[in-house]
């Protein structure tokens, strides 16, 4: 199979399923689970990919594809949760979340370019460095969730929300 297609399906294809899951069942999950724990879990998934690939060699394709599918589901839940949480804020804050998303992509592309130019022959070391940076970033996001959730700004905007505990989106808007 073509690895580029497999990667796209494993990560982005699974995003659809997690978004649908969030629409119907997201209100039953705690915010801490959807944000803090999923950030840390996604980081750990990324961290093990280069080691599994190296250890299993040819038979590792299916295992890595499975990991990427789980990562895609996790990443979709994270995206939906982050943008959902930012949705209660004024548009300037939502714009900053989208801006941060773009900056993260540019930094990841820049890291890839630097690694390709400096370590062009050692693909395994490149993978370890890339996935380690991703793990560190996801871990940082998981840890910073605690500060964000207890900040006065978030507490203020959360207090303005109508109470909709246990309601689905369809019930809340009806």
């Amino acid at each position: 199979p073509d690895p580029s297609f497999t990667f796209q399906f494993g990560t982005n294809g699974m995003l659809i399923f997690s978004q649908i899951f969030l629409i119907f069942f997201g209100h039953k999950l705690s915010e801490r689970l959807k944000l803090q724990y999923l950030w840390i879990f996604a980081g750990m998934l990324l961290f093990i990919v280069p080691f599994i690939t190296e250890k299993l060699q040819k038979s590792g394709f299916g295992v890595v594809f499975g990991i990427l599918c789980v990562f895609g589901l996790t990443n979709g839940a994270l995206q939906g949760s982050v943008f959902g949480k930012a949705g209660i804020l004024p548009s300037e804050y939502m714009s900053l979340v989208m801006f941060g998303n773009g900056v993260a992509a540019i930094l990841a592309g820049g890291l890839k370019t630097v690694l390709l130019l400096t370590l062009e022959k050692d693909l395994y070391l490149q993978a370890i460095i890339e996935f380690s940076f991703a793990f560190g970033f996801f871990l940082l996001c998981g840890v910073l969730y605690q500060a964000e959730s207890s900040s006065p700004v978030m507490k203020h905007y959360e207090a303005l929300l109508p109470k909709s505990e246990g309601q689905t989106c369809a019930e809340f808007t009806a």
Side-chain angles (χ1 to χ4, degrees), residues 55-104:
K55 181 82 173 156
L56 298 179
Q57 295 289 321
K58 292 181 183 175
S59 64
F61 179 81
V63 175
V64 170
F65 179 69
I67 290 170
L68 288 178
C69 287
V70 172
F71 175 75
L73 290 168
T74 305
N75 193 34
L78 279 168
Q79 284 184 17
S81 298
V82 166
F83 282 99
K85 178 139 181 153
I88 68 170
L89 301 171
S91 62
E92 296 84 14
Y93 292 100
M94 178 60 104
S95 298
L96 286 173
V97 170
M98 296 178 82
F99 175 75
N101 207 6
V103 168

CSV table of all heavy atoms in Angstrom, one decimal, residues 55-104:
chain,number,residue,atom,x,y,z
A,55,LYS,N,11.5,-1.6,15.3
A,55,LYS,CA,11.6,-3.0,16.0
A,55,LYS,C,10.9,-4.0,15.1
A,55,LYS,O,11.4,-5.1,15.0
A,55,LYS,CB,10.9,-2.8,17.3
A,55,LYS,CG,10.8,-4.1,18.1
A,55,LYS,CD,12.1,-4.3,18.9
A,55,LYS,CE,12.0,-5.5,19.8
A,55,LYS,NZ,13.2,-6.0,20.2
A,56,LEU,N,9.8,-3.7,14.5
A,56,LEU,CA,9.0,-4.7,13.8
A,56,LEU,C,9.4,-4.8,12.3
A,56,LEU,O,8.9,-5.7,11.7
A,56,LEU,CB,7.5,-4.5,14.0
A,56,LEU,CG,7.0,-4.6,15.4
A,56,LEU,CD1,5.5,-4.3,15.5
A,56,LEU,CD2,7.3,-5.9,16.0
A,57,GLN,N,10.0,-3.8,11.8
A,57,GLN,CA,10.4,-3.7,10.4
A,57,GLN,C,9.2,-4.0,9.5
A,57,GLN,O,8.3,-3.2,9.5
A,57,GLN,CB,11.6,-4.7,10.1
A,57,GLN,CG,12.9,-4.4,10.8
A,57,GLN,CD,13.5,-3.1,10.2
A,57,GLN,OE1,13.5,-2.9,9.0
A,57,GLN,NE2,14.1,-2.3,11.1
A,58,LYS,N,9.2,-5.1,8.7
A,58,LYS,CA,8.2,-5.3,7.7
A,58,LYS,C,6.8,-5.6,8.3
A,58,LYS,O,5.8,-5.2,7.8
A,58,LYS,CB,8.6,-6.5,6.8
A,58,LYS,CG,9.8,-6.2,5.9
A,58,LYS,CD,10.1,-7.3,5.1
A,58,LYS,CE,11.4,-7.0,4.3
A,58,LYS,NZ,11.9,-8.1,3.5
A,59,SER,N,6.8,-6.3,9.4
A,59,SER,CA,5.5,-6.7,10.0
A,59,SER,C,4.9,-5.5,10.8
A,59,SER,O,3.8,-5.5,11.2
A,59,SER,CB,5.6,-7.9,10.9
A,59,SER,OG,6.5,-7.6,12.0
A,60,GLY,N,5.7,-4.4,10.9
A,60,GLY,CA,5.2,-3.2,11.7
A,60,GLY,C,4.2,-2.4,11.0
A,60,GLY,O,3.6,-1.5,11.6
A,61,PHE,N,4.1,-2.6,9.7
A,61,PHE,CA,3.2,-1.7,8.9
A,61,PHE,C,1.8,-1.7,9.5
A,61,PHE,O,1.2,-0.7,9.7
A,61,PHE,CB,3.2,-2.1,7.4
A,61,PHE,CG,2.2,-1.3,6.6
A,61,PHE,CD1,2.6,0.0,6.1
A,61,PHE,CD2,0.9,-1.7,6.3
A,61,PHE,CE1,1.8,0.8,5.4
A,61,PHE,CE2,0.1,-0.9,5.6
A,61,PHE,CZ,0.5,0.3,5.1
A,62,GLY,N,1.2,-2.9,9.7
A,62,GLY,CA,-0.1,-3.0,10.2
A,62,GLY,C,-0.3,-2.5,11.6
A,62,GLY,O,-1.3,-1.8,11.9
A,63,VAL,N,0.8,-2.7,12.4
A,63,VAL,CA,0.7,-2.1,13.8
A,63,VAL,C,0.8,-0.6,13.8
A,63,VAL,O,0.0,0.1,14.5
A,63,VAL,CB,1.9,-2.7,14.6
A,63,VAL,CG1,2.0,-2.0,16.0
A,63,VAL,CG2,1.8,-4.2,14.8
A,64,VAL,N,1.7,-0.1,13.0
A,64,VAL,CA,1.8,1.4,12.9
A,64,VAL,C,0.5,2.0,12.3
A,64,VAL,O,0.0,3.0,12.7
A,64,VAL,CB,3.0,1.8,12.0
A,64,VAL,CG1,3.0,3.3,11.7
A,64,VAL,CG2,4.3,1.5,12.8
A,65,PHE,N,-0.1,1.3,11.3
A,65,PHE,CA,-1.4,1.8,10.7
A,65,PHE,C,-2.5,1.8,11.8
A,65,PHE,O,-3.2,2.7,11.9
A,65,PHE,CB,-1.8,0.9,9.6
A,65,PHE,CG,-3.1,1.3,8.9
A,65,PHE,CD1,-3.2,2.5,8.2
A,65,PHE,CD2,-4.3,0.5,9.1
A,65,PHE,CE1,-4.4,2.9,7.7
A,65,PHE,CE2,-5.5,0.9,8.6
A,65,PHE,CZ,-5.6,2.1,7.9
A,66,GLY,N,-2.5,0.8,12.6
A,66,GLY,CA,-3.5,0.7,13.7
A,66,GLY,C,-3.2,1.9,14.7
A,66,GLY,O,-4.2,2.5,15.2
A,67,ILE,N,-2.0,2.1,15.0
A,67,ILE,CA,-1.6,3.3,15.9
A,67,ILE,C,-2.1,4.6,15.3
A,67,ILE,O,-2.6,5.4,16.0
A,67,ILE,CB,-0.1,3.3,16.2
A,67,ILE,CG1,0.2,2.1,17.1
A,67,ILE,CG2,0.3,4.6,16.9
A,67,ILE,CD1,1.7,1.9,17.3
A,68,LEU,N,-1.8,4.7,14.0
A,68,LEU,CA,-2.3,6.0,13.3
A,68,LEU,C,-3.8,6.1,13.3
A,68,LEU,O,-4.3,7.2,13.4
A,68,LEU,CB,-1.7,6.0,11.9
A,68,LEU,CG,-0.2,6.2,11.8
A,68,LEU,CD1,0.2,6.2,10.3
A,68,LEU,CD2,0.2,7.5,12.4
A,69,CYS,N,-4.5,5.0,13.2
A,69,CYS,CA,-6.0,5.1,13.2
A,69,CYS,C,-6.4,5.5,14.6
A,69,CYS,O,-7.3,6.4,14.7
A,69,CYS,CB,-6.6,3.7,12.9
A,69,CYS,SG,-6.5,3.3,11.1
A,70,VAL,N,-5.8,5.0,15.7
A,70,VAL,CA,-6.2,5.4,17.0
A,70,VAL,C,-5.8,6.9,17.2
A,70,VAL,O,-6.6,7.6,17.8
A,70,VAL,CB,-5.5,4.5,18.1
A,70,VAL,CG1,-5.7,5.0,19.5
A,70,VAL,CG2,-6.1,3.1,18.0
A,71,PHE,N,-4.6,7.2,16.7
A,71,PHE,CA,-4.2,8.6,16.8
A,71,PHE,C,-5.2,9.5,16.0
A,71,PHE,O,-5.5,10.6,16.5
A,71,PHE,CB,-2.8,8.8,16.2
A,71,PHE,CG,-2.4,10.3,16.2
A,71,PHE,CD1,-2.0,10.9,17.3
A,71,PHE,CD2,-2.4,11.0,15.0
A,71,PHE,CE1,-1.7,12.3,17.3
A,71,PHE,CE2,-2.1,12.3,15.0
A,71,PHE,CZ,-1.7,13.0,16.1
A,72,GLY,N,-5.7,9.1,14.9
A,72,GLY,CA,-6.6,9.9,14.1
A,72,GLY,C,-7.9,10.1,14.9
A,72,GLY,O,-8.5,11.2,14.9
A,73,LEU,N,-8.4,9.1,15.5
A,73,LEU,CA,-9.6,9.2,16.4
A,73,LEU,C,-9.4,10.2,17.5
A,73,LEU,O,-10.2,11.0,17.8
A,73,LEU,CB,-10.0,7.8,16.9
A,73,LEU,CG,-10.6,6.9,15.9
A,73,LEU,CD1,-10.7,5.5,16.5
A,73,LEU,CD2,-11.9,7.3,15.4
A,74,THR,N,-8.2,10.0,18.2
A,74,THR,CA,-7.8,10.9,19.3
A,74,THR,C,-7.7,12.3,18.8
A,74,THR,O,-8.2,13.3,19.5
A,74,THR,CB,-6.5,10.4,19.9
A,74,THR,OG1,-6.7,9.0,20.3
A,74,THR,CG2,-6.2,11.2,21.2
A,75,ASN,N,-7.0,12.5,17.7
A,75,ASN,CA,-6.8,13.9,17.2
A,75,ASN,C,-8.1,14.6,16.8
A,75,ASN,O,-8.2,15.7,17.1
A,75,ASN,CB,-5.8,13.8,16.0
A,75,ASN,CG,-5.3,15.1,15.6
A,75,ASN,OD1,-5.1,16.0,16.4
A,75,ASN,ND2,-5.1,15.3,14.3
A,76,GLY,N,-9.0,13.8,16.2
A,76,GLY,CA,-10.3,14.4,15.9
A,76,GLY,C,-11.0,14.8,17.1
A,76,GLY,O,-11.7,15.9,17.1
A,77,ALA,N,-11.0,14.0,18.2
A,77,ALA,CA,-11.7,14.4,19.4
A,77,ALA,C,-11.0,15.6,20.0
A,77,ALA,O,-11.7,16.5,20.6
A,77,ALA,CB,-11.6,13.2,20.4
A,78,LEU,N,-9.7,15.7,19.9
A,78,LEU,CA,-9.0,16.9,20.4
A,78,LEU,C,-9.4,18.1,19.7
A,78,LEU,O,-9.7,19.2,20.3
A,78,LEU,CB,-7.5,16.7,20.4
A,78,LEU,CG,-6.9,15.8,21.5
A,78,LEU,CD1,-5.4,15.5,21.1
A,78,LEU,CD2,-6.9,16.6,22.8
A,79,GLN,N,-9.4,18.0,18.4
A,79,GLN,CA,-9.7,19.2,17.5
A,79,GLN,C,-11.1,19.7,17.8
A,79,GLN,O,-11.4,20.9,18.0
A,79,GLN,CB,-9.6,18.9,16.1
A,79,GLN,CG,-8.2,18.8,15.6
A,79,GLN,CD,-8.1,18.6,14.1
A,79,GLN,OE1,-9.1,18.8,13.3
A,79,GLN,NE2,-6.9,18.2,13.6
A,80,GLY,N,-12.1,18.7,17.9
A,80,GLY,CA,-13.4,19.1,18.2
A,80,GLY,C,-13.6,19.7,19.6
A,80,GLY,O,-14.3,20.7,19.8
A,81,SER,N,-12.9,19.2,20.5
A,81,SER,CA,-12.9,19.7,21.9
A,81,SER,C,-12.3,21.0,22.0
A,81,SER,O,-12.8,21.9,22.7
A,81,SER,CB,-12.3,18.7,22.8
A,81,SER,OG,-13.0,17.4,22.8
A,82,VAL,N,-11.1,21.2,21.4
A,82,VAL,CA,-10.4,22.5,21.5
A,82,VAL,C,-11.3,23.6,20.9
A,82,VAL,O,-11.5,24.7,21.4
A,82,VAL,CB,-9.0,22.4,20.9
A,82,VAL,CG1,-8.4,23.8,20.7
A,82,VAL,CG2,-8.1,21.6,21.7
A,83,PHE,N,-11.8,23.4,19.7
A,83,PHE,CA,-12.6,24.4,19.0
A,83,PHE,C,-13.9,24.6,19.7
A,83,PHE,O,-14.5,25.7,19.7
A,83,PHE,CB,-12.7,24.1,17.5
A,83,PHE,CG,-11.5,24.4,16.7
A,83,PHE,CD1,-10.6,23.5,16.4
A,83,PHE,CD2,-11.2,25.7,16.3
A,83,PHE,CE1,-9.4,23.8,15.6
A,83,PHE,CE2,-10.1,26.1,15.6
A,83,PHE,CZ,-9.2,25.1,15.3
A,84,GLY,N,-14.5,23.5,20.2
A,84,GLY,CA,-15.7,23.6,21.0
A,84,GLY,C,-15.5,24.5,22.2
A,84,GLY,O,-16.3,25.3,22.5
A,85,LYS,N,-14.4,24.3,22.9
A,85,LYS,CA,-14.1,25.1,24.1
A,85,LYS,C,-13.9,26.5,23.7
A,85,LYS,O,-14.3,27.4,24.4
A,85,LYS,CB,-12.9,24.5,24.9
A,85,LYS,CG,-12.6,25.3,26.1
A,85,LYS,CD,-12.2,24.4,27.2
A,85,LYS,CE,-11.9,25.3,28.4
A,85,LYS,NZ,-12.1,24.7,29.6
A,86,ALA,N,-13.2,26.7,22.7
A,86,ALA,CA,-12.9,28.1,22.2
A,86,ALA,C,-14.1,28.8,21.7
A,86,ALA,O,-14.2,30.0,21.7
A,86,ALA,CB,-11.8,28.1,21.2
A,87,GLY,N,-15.1,28.0,21.3
A,87,GLY,CA,-16.4,28.6,20.8
A,87,GLY,C,-17.1,29.5,21.8
A,87,GLY,O,-17.9,30.3,21.4
A,88,ILE,N,-16.9,29.3,23.1
A,88,ILE,CA,-17.6,30.1,24.1
A,88,ILE,C,-16.9,31.5,24.2
A,88,ILE,O,-17.5,32.4,24.8
A,88,ILE,CB,-17.6,29.5,25.5
A,88,ILE,CG1,-16.3,29.3,26.1
A,88,ILE,CG2,-18.3,28.1,25.4
A,88,ILE,CD1,-16.3,28.9,27.6
A,89,LEU,N,-15.7,31.7,23.6
A,89,LEU,CA,-15.0,32.9,23.8
A,89,LEU,C,-15.3,33.9,22.7
A,89,LEU,O,-15.8,33.5,21.6
A,89,LEU,CB,-13.5,32.6,23.7
A,89,LEU,CG,-13.0,31.6,24.8
A,89,LEU,CD1,-11.5,31.2,24.6
A,89,LEU,CD2,-13.1,32.2,26.2
A,90,PRO,N,-15.0,35.1,22.8
A,90,PRO,CA,-15.1,36.1,21.8
A,90,PRO,C,-14.3,35.7,20.5
A,90,PRO,O,-13.4,35.0,20.6
A,90,PRO,CB,-14.6,37.4,22.4
A,90,PRO,CG,-14.7,37.2,23.8
A,90,PRO,CD,-14.5,35.8,24.1
A,91,SER,N,-14.7,36.3,19.4
A,91,SER,CA,-14.1,35.8,18.1
A,91,SER,C,-12.6,36.1,18.1
A,91,SER,O,-11.9,35.3,17.4
A,91,SER,CB,-14.8,36.6,16.9
A,91,SER,OG,-14.6,38.0,17.1
A,92,GLU,N,-12.1,37.1,18.8
A,92,GLU,CA,-10.7,37.3,18.8
A,92,GLU,C,-9.9,36.1,19.4
A,92,GLU,O,-8.8,35.7,18.9
A,92,GLU,CB,-10.3,38.6,19.6
A,92,GLU,CG,-10.8,39.9,19.0
A,92,GLU,CD,-12.3,40.1,19.5
A,92,GLU,OE1,-12.8,39.5,20.4
A,92,GLU,OE2,-12.9,41.0,18.9
A,93,TYR,N,-10.5,35.5,20.4
A,93,TYR,CA,-9.8,34.3,21.0
A,93,TYR,C,-9.9,33.1,20.1
A,93,TYR,O,-8.9,32.4,20.0
A,93,TYR,CB,-10.5,34.0,22.4
A,93,TYR,CG,-10.2,35.0,23.4
A,93,TYR,CD1,-11.1,36.0,23.7
A,93,TYR,CD2,-9.0,35.1,24.1
A,93,TYR,CE1,-10.9,36.9,24.7
A,93,TYR,CE2,-8.7,36.0,25.1
A,93,TYR,CZ,-9.7,37.0,25.4
A,93,TYR,OH,-9.5,37.9,26.3
A,94,MET,N,-11.0,32.9,19.4
A,94,MET,CA,-11.2,31.8,18.5
A,94,MET,C,-10.2,32.0,17.3
A,94,MET,O,-9.6,31.1,16.9
A,94,MET,CB,-12.6,31.8,17.9
A,94,MET,CG,-12.8,30.7,16.9
A,94,MET,SD,-12.4,29.0,17.5
A,94,MET,CE,-14.1,28.4,17.7
A,95,SER,N,-10.0,33.3,16.9
A,95,SER,CA,-9.0,33.5,15.9
A,95,SER,C,-7.6,33.2,16.3
A,95,SER,O,-6.8,32.6,15.5
A,95,SER,CB,-9.0,35.0,15.5
A,95,SER,OG,-10.2,35.4,15.0
A,96,LEU,N,-7.3,33.4,17.6
A,96,LEU,CA,-6.0,33.0,18.1
A,96,LEU,C,-5.8,31.5,18.2
A,96,LEU,O,-4.7,31.0,17.9
A,96,LEU,CB,-5.8,33.6,19.5
A,96,LEU,CG,-5.5,35.1,19.6
A,96,LEU,CD1,-5.5,35.6,21.0
A,96,LEU,CD2,-4.2,35.4,18.9
A,97,VAL,N,-6.9,30.7,18.4
A,97,VAL,CA,-6.8,29.3,18.4
A,97,VAL,C,-6.5,28.8,17.0
A,97,VAL,O,-5.6,28.0,16.8
A,97,VAL,CB,-8.1,28.7,18.9
A,97,VAL,CG1,-8.1,27.2,18.7
A,97,VAL,CG2,-8.3,28.9,20.4
A,98,MET,N,-7.2,29.4,16.0
A,98,MET,CA,-6.9,29.0,14.6
A,98,MET,C,-5.5,29.5,14.2
A,98,MET,O,-4.8,28.7,13.5
A,98,MET,CB,-8.0,29.6,13.7
A,98,MET,CG,-9.3,29.1,14.0
A,98,MET,SD,-10.6,29.8,13.0
A,98,MET,CE,-10.4,28.9,11.5
A,99,PHE,N,-5.1,30.6,14.6
A,99,PHE,CA,-3.7,31.1,14.3
A,99,PHE,C,-2.7,30.1,14.9
A,99,PHE,O,-1.7,29.8,14.3
A,99,PHE,CB,-3.5,32.5,14.9
A,99,PHE,CG,-2.1,33.1,14.7
A,99,PHE,CD1,-1.7,33.5,13.5
A,99,PHE,CD2,-1.3,33.1,15.8
A,99,PHE,CE1,-0.4,34.0,13.4
A,99,PHE,CE2,0.0,33.6,15.7
A,99,PHE,CZ,0.5,34.1,14.4
A,100,GLY,N,-2.9,29.7,16.2
A,100,GLY,CA,-2.0,28.8,16.8
A,100,GLY,C,-1.9,27.4,16.1
A,100,GLY,O,-0.9,26.8,15.9
A,101,ASN,N,-3.0,27.0,15.5
A,101,ASN,CA,-3.1,25.8,14.7
A,101,ASN,C,-2.2,25.9,13.5
A,101,ASN,O,-1.4,25.0,13.2
A,101,ASN,CB,-4.5,25.6,14.3
A,101,ASN,CG,-4.8,24.1,14.0
A,101,ASN,OD1,-4.0,23.2,14.3
A,101,ASN,ND2,-6.1,23.9,13.6
A,102,GLY,N,-2.3,27.1,12.8
A,102,GLY,CA,-1.4,27.4,11.7
A,102,GLY,C,0.1,27.5,12.0
A,102,GLY,O,0.9,26.9,11.3
A,103,VAL,N,0.4,28.1,13.1
A,103,VAL,CA,1.8,28.3,13.6
A,103,VAL,C,2.3,26.9,13.9
A,103,VAL,O,3.5,26.6,13.5
A,103,VAL,CB,1.9,29.2,14.8
A,103,VAL,CG1,3.2,29.1,15.4
A,103,VAL,CG2,1.6,30.6,14.4
A,104,ALA,N,1.6,26.0,14.5
A,104,ALA,CA,2.0,24.7,14.8
A,104,ALA,C,2.4,23.9,13.6
A,104,ALA,O,3.4,23.2,13.5
A,104,ALA,CB,1.0,23.9,15.7
